[in-house]
Amino acid sequence: MFDTIAGLPVHVLVVHAVVVLGPLAGLTALAYAARPRWRAPLRVPLATLAVLAALTASVAARSGEALQARLVRLGVGGTTLEAVALHAERGELARNVTLALAVVALVATLWL
């Protein structure tokens, strides 16, 4: 499920959504926090963006693991696998940050 779509690695497709939605959700959260007058109109967009960013980051992480496993099966090694491992660590960080942002954004939009 997280390996390929139409022959293309899912990870390559989904990671672009994370790169767009994560910063957009972060900027929306900053605007939501900085401008109390903007909170009402930003409530739904912030919650939506934060949840979508967290979901796509989770899918990117799982599909990245599938891609990494495929590279290992193909016998790719050395420097390439070291770079993939570093990329995987940073991907896990991105996933954790977007999950934390989603939790904080949902609590803020429901609380305020």
Side-chain angles (χ1 to χ4, degrees):
M1 176 175 173
F2 292 102
D3 196 19
T4 61
I5 293 178
L8 295 171
V10 172
H11 183 71
V12 175
L13 301 171
V14 175
V15 76
H16 290 89
V18 178
V19 169
V20 172
L21 293 173
L24 192 55
L27 290 173
T28 306
L30 288 174
Y32 186 86
R35 296 285 189 174
R37 288 185 299 174
W38 293 359
R39 286 185 183 154
L42 287 179
R43 179 171 282 130
V44 172
L46 173 57
T48 303
L49 285 169
V51 168
L52 285 175
L55 288 174
T56 56
S58 295
V59 171
R62 292 194 63 192
S63 63
E65 292 167 357
L67 181 58
Q68 187 175 14
R70 174 186 281 208
L71 291 174
V72 169
R73 280 193 312 270
L74 291 174
V76 175
T79 306
T80 301
L81 275 186
E82 290 173 12
V84 169
L86 178 61
H87 180 78
E89 288 177 21
R90 292 180 179 163
E92 288 178 22
L93 176 63
R95 181 193 60 206
N96 294 339
V97 168
T98 57
L99 287 172
L101 174 64
V103 169
V104 169
L106 288 175
V107 167
T109 56
L110 295 173
W111 183 271
L112 298 175

